[in-house]
Amino acid sequence: MTDQNPVFIPGPTNMPDRLRRAIQVQTSDHRAPDFVEIFAPVLEDTKKVFGTTDGKVITFPASGTGGWEAAITNTLSPGDKVLIARYGVFSHRWIDMCQRHGLEVQVIECEWGTGAPADKFGEVLSADAGRDIKAVLVTHNETATGVLSDVGAVRKAMDGADHPALLLVDCVSSLGSMPFDMDGWGVDIAVSGSQKGFMLPTGMAILGVSPKALAAIETAQLPRTFFDFRDMMAANANGGFPYTPPLQLIHGLSESLKMLFEEGLDNVYARHFRLAEGVRKAVEAWGLKLVAKSPDLYSDSVSAIYVPEGFDSNALAQHAFDAYAVSFGIGLGELNGKAFRIGHLGSLTDVMVLSGLATVEMAMKDLDYPITLGSGVAAAQEYFRNSR
Ligand SMILES: *Cc1c(COP(=O)(O)O)cnc(C)c1O
């Protein structure tokens, strides 16, 4: 029975029954015409979630990390300079990947709990008289800290410096949960994956690619074969795939898009905001603090929460799993042992979130945290009742 409990990790997320059924399809020939009938509309409809009409959607059988690699190898050359800020484990991993690909990475170190520093980006870009910086990389939602960055502000800073660099954005844990405006923000590549807002198993990297990024492919010299956009686009244009497609996931994505559009994207975002607010009310009632430094940075898909001094957040997550069979995210990187995370994205309702908050309370009480059972749950209940 314990497998009926929702997970509260920030991805992979809970799969609604409708999507579990949608991926239950028998093998079929991906060279047959019915593959095109399912795949072509998926590519078209996913654009709406990215907020692009100018761009293209390109997918690979990979996790989000593969999407990062596709983004940089298709647009950059060895030795190219890129600008990126480090404010959590995910931005750190993208930096590491760029370095391993032989890019020259200018890193702006930011305190964890803050987000992309648009003003500092602006200063660096203005000072880059030779226009050596070829790309600015931003992690939209830093899943390690629960911080949402203002991509529009980064675009303004780039435009303010009149800088031609590409803007590459990781939206793996925000797309389909919080508004994303690829065209409005002038994002050149937006990288996402199947296992978070789309509520599917891991296995599809999903990218939105602007015309400017498509043009950059022609001169980009980083080696790529599996992730070459051109091979993928050429095959897709003929209704196919350059290698074996993840057929079941494509069926799943087709149904996931139907679910998102039936609920309405604005309602999906409003639901995520409401669920996140409920969690934040509970955190406040517990007397605990979020890692995110200020409300403008709060993520609606994940909250990272400091445990009180003298407590171990790993022990809390472990105990919640051992005693109650509910998974929460542990603290990553420098937050390990200091913070735990509640993922509240994807297929979740008010009632499911209340069960997660109740579980945290039981686990904290068991471990002698100074909290009152029901305090956070009550705060969230009040909020949910009054925000319907
Ligand atoms: C989940 C996630 C990724 C991708 O991770 P994979 O495990 O490779 O799918 C990348 N960036 C962020 C911000 C994420 O949350």
Side-chain angles (χ1 to χ4, degrees):
M1 284 307 285
T2 54
D3 68 349
Q4 296 294 308
N5 289 341
V7 294
F8 294 95
I9 51 175
T13 61
N14 301 293
M15 289 171 53
D17 288 342
R18 190 166 153 190
L19 294 188
R20 293 176 63 174
R21 285 192 296 271
I23 59 175
Q24 290 281 354
V25 291
Q26 178 57 282
T27 299
S28 68
D29 181 5
H30 56 276
R31 298 182 208 286
D34 51 355
F35 177 72
V36 189
E37 280 163 33
I38 174 105
F39 188 47
V42 164
L43 293 180
E44 202 51 39
D45 289 344
T46 305
K47 287 187 191 174
K48 294 180 197 140
V49 187
F50 280 111
T52 186
T53 48
D54 305 341
K56 265 195 163 313
V57 169
I58 302 180
T59 70
F60 295 99
S63 78
T65 305
W68 284 343
E69 189 152 319
I72 62 173
T73 56
N74 279 281
T75 54
L76 298 166
S77 300
D80 273 359
K81 193 164 175 184
V82 300
L83 177 64
I84 179 167
R86 174 163 30 219
Y87 40 80
V89 160
F90 290 90
S91 42
H92 166 73
R93 286 189 191 151
W94 212 5
I95 290 167
D96 175 56
M97 176 184 279
C98 289
Q99 289 169 335
R100 292 203 226 175
H101 275 281
L103 297 170
E104 187 190 329
V105 187
Q106 179 166 353
V107 180
I108 298 180
E109 299 291 349
C110 299
E111 199 183 345
W112 288 29
T114 65
D119 46 346
K120 283 196 192 136
F121 281 157
E123 286 166 26
V124 172
L125 293 168
S126 298
D128 179 33
R131 300 308 190 219
D132 292 329
I133 295 169
K134 299 301 177 207
V136 176
L137 278 58
V138 175
T139 301
H140 184 213
N141 189 66
E142 177 48 83
T143 316
T145 59
V147 165
L148 183 77
S149 285
D150 186 345
V151 177
V154 174
R155 165 47 65 197
K156 272 210 192 99
M158 294 174 72
D159 290 349
D162 196 21
H163 201 290
L166 294 165
L167 176 57
L168 311 183
V169 177
D170 168 345
C171 57
V172 181
S173 61
S174 53
L175 195 74
S177 305
M178 290 177 280
F180 197 85
D181 186 7
M182 183 170 160
D183 287 355
W185 299 337
V187 173
D188 290 299
I189 302 188
V191 178
S192 194
S194 49
Q195 80 273 28
K196 296 190 183 172
F198 289 112
M199 307 168 284
L200 291 166
T202 316
M204 243 176 126
I206 305 166
L207 295 92
V209 184
S210 77
K212 184 171 160 187
L214 290 177
I217 306 177
E218 300 311 323
T219 51
Q221 296 298 318
L222 279 178
R224 56 189 184 272
T225 46
F226 183 84
F227 286 126
D228 201 309
F229 284 168
R230 289 170 300 190
D231 294 344
M232 185 55 78
M233 285 189 300
N236 289 174
N238 294 318
F241 227 71
Y243 31 75
T244 315
L247 185 75
Q248 283 74 9
L249 279 171
I250 291 168
H251 279 271
L253 185 53
S254 170
E255 195 68 19
S256 171
L257 291 164
K258 277 186 202 140
M259 286 181 72
L260 292 172
F261 298 149
E262 278 170 21
E263 185 175 353
L265 285 176
D266 287 343
N267 296 329
V268 170
Y269 305 145
R271 173 168 56 81
H272 280 82
F273 173 76
R274 199 179 65 247
L275 298 176
E277 272 293 291
V279 170
R280 293 189 281 257
K281 299 284 182 211
V283 171
E284 195 186 339
W286 294 332
L288 300 183
K289 269 200 148 51
L290 291 166
V291 173
K293 299 254 177 234
S294 54
D296 56 309
L297 298 168
Y298 289 168
S299 162
D300 290 341
S301 60
V302 55
S303 296
I305 302 153
Y306 284 114
V307 295
E309 201 76 33
F311 290 86
D312 173 8
S313 64
N314 289 336
L316 180 66
Q318 187 66 47
H319 180 70
F321 183 77
D322 291 343
Y324 304 109
V326 179
S327 291
F328 296 91
I330 59 164
L332 298 177
E334 63 182 54
L335 297 172
N336 191 253
K338 296 187 183 144
F340 71 104
R341 294 171 301 147
I342 301 180
H344 34 77
L345 75 164
S347 179
L348 279 178
T349 63
D350 298 358
V351 171
M352 290 160 89
V353 165
L354 288 173
S355 77
L357 297 173
T359 308
V360 172
E361 291 185 351
M362 290 191 287
M364 290 199 294
K365 192 79 188 167
D366 293 347
L367 298 175
D368 296 325
Y369 280 60
I371 68 132
T372 307
L373 281 183
S375 57
V377 170
Q381 285 172 318
E382 277 305 337
Y383 176 75
F384 289 153
R385 282 191 330 115
N386 293 315
S387 63
R388 297 213 60 84

